[in-house]
Amino acid sequence: MALRLILDKAIHTGDLTRDEVVALLSLEGKDVQRLFSAADQVRKQYCGEGVHLRGLIEFSNICSRDCNYCGLRRGNRRIRRYRMTPQEIIDVSADVVRKGLQTIVLQSGEDPWYTAERMVEIIQGIKSQADCAVTLCIGERSYADYLAMKEAGADRYLLRHETSNPELYHRLHPDMRLEDRVRCLRDLKDIGFQVGAGNMVRLPGQTIEDLANDALFIRDLEADMIGIGPFIPHPNTPLSDKSGGTLEMTLKMIAVVRIVTRNAHIPATTAVGSIDPFGRKKALMAGANVVMPNYTPIEYRVNYEIYPNKRCLTEDPSESRAWIEAMGRVVAEGKGHSLKRSAQ
Ligand code: 5AD
């Protein structure tokens, strides 16, 4: 099918076949810009001009997993490990809300010290001090744990599926299985969390067809939020000598996911900002509508090294606001709940 027809369909229905998604992800040269414009048009129609700010707190870099790509993997001995106390997390969250952000994202490695009971204490502590939404990004847990955290007041949960190719998934995470990941995502939805999935781009051995399947997996899951970033090789991991994802491929993936999901919240991720100084801005022009400034206290932040040269922006909301407004967009008001259901 001619590109013009695929792009028309992309803009008007988003109901693309797998072959059409592959065709879009394979675009090169100046056609790529036409894909980005189509995604930008869909973003404008379904999400408007508002960019949602989410305040990120990376509260522990201790991890019981050994993912082959990640600098926090338990096998990496060359990293100074830290844990923030529940009170520290609550205090930093209150500070972030005072700065005007209305969503706190709590992210960590899979650290068993933070039992469901401790997470409940943290969530309740945050919610009793500040009027904000809480998003968790702490990995695979039992149904009972997820339920306890939801009942304590957590609103959203990010758990990237990383790749929808089961063999590739298993190669990257020898002690994990894709079906467990998917079960967690279904549990989270069942419990009533707004759920985020997502994948990395250009993982070693990943094909364009795999990426197309990721886009369709995300669409079928009806994810509320989708995090997409380039794979960036980390020197202290088994994948240190592999090549990383390109900006263009990552932006094409963001654009395609915008087109097939219509109104999902899609961040311009730190990873995309780390491979290009204008990466996040370019992502916002290719379908993204969320920015996540990092509020991890600086003494910890330097040790949250998922991948190298992570841009550790000491960005205050006024700075985010400035560059967002300079591109003709606005910072969205409110908590920025999912657009896929009425705010909870
Ligand atoms: N490069 C890019 N992204 C990475 N992540 C982990 N390691 C890397 C890496 N080397 C991503 C994963 C994870 C998220 C928190 O960070 O997708 O879900």
Side-chain angles (χ1 to χ4, degrees):
M1 200 194 284
L3 177 58
R4 190 173 56 75
L5 293 178
I6 303 180
L7 288 175
D8 273 355
K9 202 169 152 193
I11 292 167
H12 294 115
T13 71
D15 205 3
L16 303 180
T17 64
R18 188 168 173 278
D19 287 348
E20 289 164 346
V21 172
V22 170
L24 292 180
L25 291 173
S26 308
L27 292 177
E28 284 177 0
K30 56 182 178 357
D31 287 340
V32 175
Q33 201 47 56
R34 296 170 66 190
L35 167 64
F36 296 164
S37 308
D40 199 43
Q41 206 173 314
V42 174
R43 186 271 309 156
K44 198 180 241 171
Q45 186 182 341
Y46 286 85
C47 312
E49 298 298 352
V51 175
H52 299 277
L53 297 183
R54 321 292 201 197
L56 177 63
I57 305 174
E58 298 154 328
F59 65 91
S60 163
N61 68 352
I62 295 176
C63 194
S64 56
R65 302 288 190 179
D66 220 16
C67 309
N68 283 336
Y69 45 80
C70 183
L72 304 189
R73 68 200 303 272
R74 67 167 187 264
N76 181 12
R77 306 255 170 265
R78 295 194 208 158
I79 174 176
R80 186 194 292 261
R81 303 284 176 171
Y82 70 87
R83 272 183 189 130
M84 288 170 66
T85 64
Q87 195 55 51
E88 267 182 299
I89 300 170
I90 294 166
D91 291 345
V92 174
S93 301
D95 231 41
V96 172
V97 176
R98 269 195 294 276
K99 290 192 161 90
L101 280 81
Q102 293 189 66
T103 292
I104 302 293
V105 181
L106 300 181
Q107 187 180 110
S108 69
E110 291 204 13
D111 182 350
W113 188 85
Y114 298 90
T115 56
E117 292 68 33
R118 286 191 170 122
M119 290 309 302
V120 164
E121 176 195 336
I122 294 165
I123 296 158
Q124 288 174 341
I126 293 172
K127 289 259 172 159
S128 67
Q129 291 202 0
D131 179 29
C132 64
V134 171
T135 305
L136 302 175
C137 181
I138 61 173
E140 295 184 21
R141 297 275 178 132
S142 67
Y143 191 97
D145 278 15
Y146 287 151
L147 186 60
M149 295 188 276
K150 179 74 176 66
E151 285 175 347
D155 300 273
R156 311 181 190 136
Y157 205 105
L158 306 174
L159 186 74
R160 289 191 184 176
H161 67 282
E162 313 296 359
T163 173
S164 59
N165 175 331
E167 284 88 52
L168 178 58
Y169 186 93
H170 192 61
R171 240 182 296 143
L172 296 167
H173 319 92
D175 54 351
M176 296 170 77
R177 288 178 315 170
L178 181 60
E179 58 190 89
D180 292 327
R181 200 79 174 169
V182 173
R183 193 189 53 234
C184 285
L185 285 165
R186 300 212 183 285
D187 286 350
L188 289 162
K189 279 193 75 155
D190 184 61
I191 288 169
F193 277 104
Q194 299 169 43
V195 172
N199 63 285
M200 283 175 280
V201 173
R202 281 278 163 80
L203 287 160
Q206 187 184 45
T207 63
I208 299 264
E209 285 72 23
D210 287 331
L211 288 172
N213 288 336
D214 283 320
L216 300 183
F217 170 88
I218 288 165
R219 175 173 75 190
D220 294 345
L221 183 71
E222 298 184 77
D224 301 282
M225 303 165 283
I226 298 131
I228 292 166
F231 160 65
I232 303 173
H234 188 293
N236 303 333
T237 64
L239 301 178
S240 58
D241 60 348
K242 304 293 182 200
S243 50
T246 60
L247 178 68
E248 184 172 272
M249 196 66 219
T250 306
L251 296 177
K252 284 197 281 188
M253 187 66 192
I254 289 173
V256 160
V257 168
R258 165 58 66 211
I259 286 165
V260 301
T261 66
R262 318 308 271 172
N263 61 358
H265 284 313
I266 304 181
T269 55
T270 310
V272 88
S274 297
I275 59 167
D276 183 295
F278 299 104
R280 291 185 304 170
K281 182 172 170 194
K282 290 172 186 170
L284 287 183
M285 298 194 298
N289 70 324
V290 173
V291 169
M292 299 169 67
N294 192 333
Y295 289 96
T296 310
I298 191 74
E299 68 267 31
Y300 301 127
R301 197 187 309 176
V302 291
N303 295 310
Y304 202 86
E305 205 194 45
I306 296 179
Y307 46 80
N309 305 318
K310 186 162 154 251
R311 260 185 112 200
C312 287
L313 302 158
T314 41
E315 202 176 51
D316 92 23
S318 59
E319 281 175 63
S320 314
R321 192 177 287 274
W323 70 262
I324 289 165
E325 287 176 357
M327 41 183 304
R329 302 274 278 274
V330 294
V331 172
E333 300 294 331
K335 297 195 177 76
H337 281 303
S338 174
L339 299 170
K340 292 198 182 284
R341 59 190 98 179
S342 56
Q344 299 167 353

